[in-house]
Amino acid sequence: MLIPFLAALTLVVAQAPAPTSSAKPVTVLLAPTDVTRGTPRYLVGTAQEHVAEQLKARGLEVIRVEDVTRTLPKKKRTAMMRCNRTQPSCIASLGMAAKTDVVMVTEIGPYLNAYKAGVRVYTAQDGAPLVEESVPGVSEDQVLDALNKSLDVVVPRTLRVLRPEPVAPPVTPPVAQQTPNVTPGEKQPVPGPDLTPGVQPPTDLGLSDTPTVETPGRRKWAWVPAAGGVVLAGVGTVFFVQSRGKLNDLNNNEFPTLAEAEQVRDSGKRSQTMGVVGIGVGAAAIAAGALMYFLPVKQTNVQPSVTLTPQGGGLSFAGTWQ
């Protein structure tokens, strides 16, 4: 009785469906290839089918444009099938009709005495180019291999943009506890203040842990935060000017790839953040130096602190003045 029961249990476990991933797969509208003069139609059709199978094998959901335009009126279907697949308006119309994440166009065209094969990916909402990759100078027998190499580059980049992986919080290593070595029968010393006989502890003398700074000493060192503030404000100004230059580059220049534009944008953001932090902290340091020099006080207990965040920073002084 036990053996048939175990066999049945093993069969049920083997037939149980595998747990599905919580992340929704990326949907791709596979738009028709722009047929150019000199490219055989059978090669275009073969490449289109090959790209569809490769996308499915990589975990993407493929939607063919024929399935989307089948229910459209003939005039609208003809206009959509004949629009230029390099124009954002054409890509956006295809993406809105299919309701997919991206639109992919297979590119096959003559290149010298051979072919150029690759794929282009656009965002379905506005038709903006997302990523592209191609391999030039391939023979007809090498077209499918060139498409595989292009997909190996394009698909991971598309997934990183549309399905970014969550960043795990940093793990704090446990603090090792040191156990004192205790020898049986030996008296252990009791920790306490190391005082010389005849000398009173600091608490009996009315001393505290916070240092007391007299007025002449305070004014003497007031130039330290002021000078540091001037340096920080100058450095922050330089970074802020650099960020404005990056913004002008993005507005006035055209970049060959989206990656280069994103690199310039990220560099400008870093320069802007460092500029704001430098100017803010520098201004706070200058104000602190002015307060230390001009306020008429006899004694002061001051504790400076600096706070830096990705959005800015600050320099603060806390204490009591008498």
Side-chain angles (χ1 to χ4, degrees), residues 269-286:
K269 286 184 177 181
R270 288 193 298 270
S271 298
Q272 183 181 26
T273 300
M274 296 178 68
V276 172
V277 171
I279 294 175
V281 176
I286 294 173

Side-chain angles (χ1 to χ4, degrees), residues 11-290:
L11 181 62
V12 171
V13 173
Q15 293 179 351
T20 59
S21 175
S22 59
K24 183 180 178 181
V26 175
T27 55
V28 180
L29 174 64
L30 194 58
T33 305
D34 293 329
V35 179
T36 58
R37 182 176 299 178
T39 304
R41 289 187 175 272
Y42 73 87
L43 182 60
V44 173
T46 302
Q48 194 83 342
E49 293 296 329
H50 179 76
V51 170
E53 294 300 327
Q54 289 296 318
L55 291 176
K56 293 178 182 179
R58 287 168 167 82
L60 281 73
E61 182 178 348
V62 179
I63 299 178
R64 299 178 182 274
V65 72
E66 295 83 2
D67 300 333
V68 178
T69 59
R70 186 180 295 115
T71 58
L72 297 178
K74 182 178 179 181
K75 184 177 181 180
K76 187 175 182 180
R77 180 172 64 251
T78 303
M80 186 174 295
M81 294 294 292
R82 292 182 178 179
C83 68
N84 188 357
R85 255 77 73 183
T86 60
Q87 297 294 329
S89 58
C90 177
I91 298 297
S93 62
L94 293 172
M96 292 178 60
K99 298 179 180 180
T100 57
D101 295 321
V102 294
V103 177
M104 179 176 291
V105 178
T106 307
E107 179 185 16
I108 300 177
Y111 184 85
L112 300 178
N113 295 327
Y115 295 98
K116 179 182 179 182
V119 291
R120 303 192 305 269
V121 180
Y122 303 86
T123 56
Q125 289 77 11
D126 53 6
L130 184 61
V131 62
E132 64 176 316
E133 183 70 17
S134 61
V135 180
V138 296
S139 62
E140 182 175 337
D141 297 337
Q142 298 172 338
V143 167
L144 299 185
D145 292 335
L147 292 175
N148 289 340
K149 294 179 181 179
S150 300
L151 291 174
D152 290 339
V153 176
V154 167
V155 172
R157 293 183 181 177
T158 303
L159 294 178
R160 282 197 297 267
V161 174
L162 301 180
R163 299 292 187 271
E165 297 181 357
V167 180
V171 179
T172 304
V175 180
Q177 300 291 339
Q178 296 183 357
T179 304
N181 296 326
V182 180
T183 303
E186 182 178 353
K187 185 177 180 180
Q188 301 299 321
V190 179
D194 187 10
L195 300 178
T196 304
V199 179
Q200 297 181 1
T203 53
D204 296 340
L205 298 178
L207 302 178
S208 61
D209 295 335
T210 305
T212 301
V213 182
E214 297 296 335
T215 300
R218 174 172 56 81
R219 289 187 174 180
K220 177 181 178 181
W221 294 104
W223 67 272
V224 175
V230 171
V231 174
L232 287 175
V235 174
T237 303
V238 172
F239 279 108
F240 194 81
V241 171
Q242 290 180 355
S243 68
R244 299 297 298 177
K246 297 295 183 180
L247 179 60
N248 293 333
D249 292 342
L250 287 175
N251 293 333
N252 301 328
N253 299 332
E254 294 183 1
F255 298 88
T257 62
L258 180 61
E260 294 183 8
E262 290 178 348
Q263 183 178 5
V264 174
R265 180 200 62 189
D266 295 340
S267 178
K269 286 184 177 181
R270 288 193 298 270
S271 298
Q272 183 181 26
T273 300
M274 296 178 68
V276 172
V277 171
I279 294 175
V281 176
I286 294 173

